[in-house]
Amino acid sequence: MTKKINTINYLLWMIFFAFAPFVSAQESSMAGVNKEAKGYISFLPGNMPLVISIPHGGYMLPDEIPERPCIDCAKNQDIFTLEIGIGIRDAIYRKTGFYPYVVINYLHRTRLDPNRSITEAADGNKYAEDAWYQFQNYIDSARAEIQKTFGKGLYIDLHGHRHAVKRTELGYLISSEELQLDDDMLDYETFVEYSSIRSLVNDNVNGLSYSQLIRGNTSFGSLLENLGYPTVPSHGIPYPDAGEPFFSGGYNIMRHGSSQGGTIDGIQIELDEDLRRELSKRDKLISDLSTVLIDFLRIHYFPNSDFTTLKVPAKEVVKFKAAPSLTKGLK
């Protein structure tokens, strides 16, 4: 019975993605879907400085890729992130006339985890390894094209979490403990050096500091917060409380963000399950996330670009101060 259900799922998704009208030739000269013969990974080209990858939203359970035998590794699907990511792409096009690049893994996470090194991601299965390389290479190619065309840009790795605290979590490769530091301490080069938005910190149009970029009034989290989404880090929630779970960023953000060089910054977005499950919330979320992505690019990267049509009023920067006990002994 399970095998039959898996086969039906496989066929339904192949039919859907073969005929879904992502793009038409008239809409964008760079539009289209490029899929290899296996159809496990897709690359949707774009024409703006934004890449979105969707590693854990896939449904496919092919027989040639058995369940990963790894022990204690995550295998749960980030439900509806695939639909949300594609929806964001379409929403950005409707608002600007431009498309972000999108890289999709259609394999279920039990078969492949593209947000891990290849050893854990594929567990030695040749077909899964091929899919992993394809997923990573597509992101590399998009980043290279953006860097060549625009000089800089943004990479988003889209995920979902099941934590008890219902809010959006943003990963910049900074831990929850480090987020508890006050702004002056957080702005030390020691922390900036390893951040997935290192390039933006060193070169942003408003000259903002690291702390301002991740939890100031025009940070990604605060822009979401302004639209009614509790988000950490942000001006309203600058850090997770002690003991609260928090995803600070994984393999993809580390590999494709700017912590290791280059001018493409990375942010891992973790959406809570309620936002993803309820259709009415999901539709609004898609629209609002597309707005925030456009605004974030306009405010911090390309204020005069014609692909940014929305305006955000300038606000006074508010600095967060941590309790003295959190910074005791740190120099």
Side-chain angles (χ1 to χ4, degrees):
M1 184 59 149
T2 301
K3 183 174 180 179
K4 182 178 180 180
I5 292 173
N6 292 346
T7 302
I8 292 173
N9 282 338
Y10 178 91
L11 291 173
L12 287 174
W13 277 97
M14 286 300 93
I15 292 171
F16 175 80
F17 286 110
F19 294 100
F22 292 125
V23 199
S24 70
Q26 292 77 21
E27 291 171 339
S28 170
S29 61
M30 300 179 67
V33 179
N34 180 14
K35 293 197 290 188
E36 297 292 334
K38 290 292 182 182
Y40 297 149
I41 309 294
S42 278
F43 175 54
L44 284 64
N47 52 5
M48 65 183 292
L50 174 63
V51 187
I52 301 172
S53 66
I54 311 167
H56 297 155
Y59 295 84
M60 293 174 60
L61 301 166
D63 291 338
E64 68 182 4
I65 305 179
E67 182 171 341
R68 295 156 57 219
C70 54
I71 300 173
D72 296 329
C73 61
K75 298 181 182 180
N76 54 294
Q77 180 196 34
D78 292 351
I79 58 170
F80 298 119
T81 53
L82 193 157
E83 293 83 353
I84 290 169
I86 293 172
I88 290 171
R89 183 176 191 266
D90 292 340
I92 288 176
Y93 174 76
R94 290 194 298 270
K95 294 176 181 182
T96 68
F98 293 85
Y99 282 104
Y101 299 76
V102 176
V103 181
I104 303 168
N105 167 41
Y106 294 136
L107 288 167
H108 193 279
R109 197 176 183 184
T110 56
R111 269 53 179 174
L112 175 69
D113 187 344
N115 193 34
R116 299 290 189 273
S117 67
I118 191 169
T119 301
E120 181 179 347
D123 279 297
N125 180 276
K126 178 187 183 302
Y127 299 107
E129 288 180 347
D130 289 346
W132 184 92
Y133 279 115
Q134 190 178 358
F135 183 89
Q136 302 298 338
N137 289 342
Y138 276 150
I139 300 173
D140 287 337
S141 297
R143 290 173 62 249
E145 186 169 327
I146 288 173
Q147 190 160 310
K148 179 180 179 181
T149 304
F150 299 95
K152 56 186 175 180
L154 180 64
Y155 163 63
I156 297 295
D157 200 31
L158 187 62
H159 293 263
H161 72 78
R162 302 182 182 185
H163 295 159
V165 183
K166 303 298 183 181
R167 62 190 177 198
T168 298
E169 301 173 9
L170 302 177
Y172 302 92
L173 300 181
I174 179 169
S175 70
S176 56
E177 292 79 14
E178 291 166 339
L179 281 170
Q180 294 178 49
L181 301 173
D182 69 21
D183 287 349
D184 291 335
M185 185 65 68
L186 193 60
D187 289 335
Y188 281 4
E189 179 62 26
T190 303
F191 299 109
V192 174
E193 182 180 1
Y194 297 102
S195 172
S196 59
I197 60 166
R198 176 183 178 183
S199 177
L200 182 62
V201 177
N202 293 326
D203 179 21
N204 65 84
V205 296
N206 298 303
L208 299 179
S209 67
Y210 184 33
S211 60
Q212 291 168 344
L213 287 168
I214 66 173
R215 59 189 180 203
N217 283 322
T218 57
S219 65
F220 199 96
S222 294
L223 293 177
L224 272 175
E225 185 180 65
N226 291 343
L227 294 178
Y229 299 91
T231 305
V232 59
S234 65
H235 173 57
I237 313 175
Y239 60 87
D241 287 337
E244 290 181 340
F246 172 72
F247 288 126
S248 60
Y251 177 89
N252 289 338
I253 290 298
M254 188 176 298
R255 171 169 174 161
H256 300 294
S258 59
S259 64
Q260 300 184 45
T263 57
I264 309 299
D265 300 296
I267 303 175
Q268 179 170 303
I269 299 179
E270 294 275 354
L271 303 170
D272 79 72
E273 192 169 9
D274 285 354
L275 281 178
R276 292 176 283 131
R277 278 194 179 276
E278 296 184 29
L279 183 59
S280 60
K281 291 182 179 180
R282 191 162 71 239
D283 288 343
K284 184 178 186 300
L285 174 68
I286 287 170
S287 178
D288 289 342
L289 269 175
S290 67
T291 295
V292 170
L293 285 164
I294 295 165
D295 282 353
F296 192 77
L297 284 169
R298 174 188 174 273
I299 294 168
H300 300 295
Y301 292 85
F302 304 98
N304 301 314
S305 176
D306 61 359
F307 65 78
T308 55
T309 59
L310 306 178
K311 295 182 179 180
V312 174
K315 296 181 180 179
E316 181 181 357
V317 174
V318 178
K319 302 213 22 121
F320 162 71
K321 291 293 182 181
S325 61
L326 294 174
T327 56
K328 184 177 181 181
L330 291 174
K331 302 295 182 183

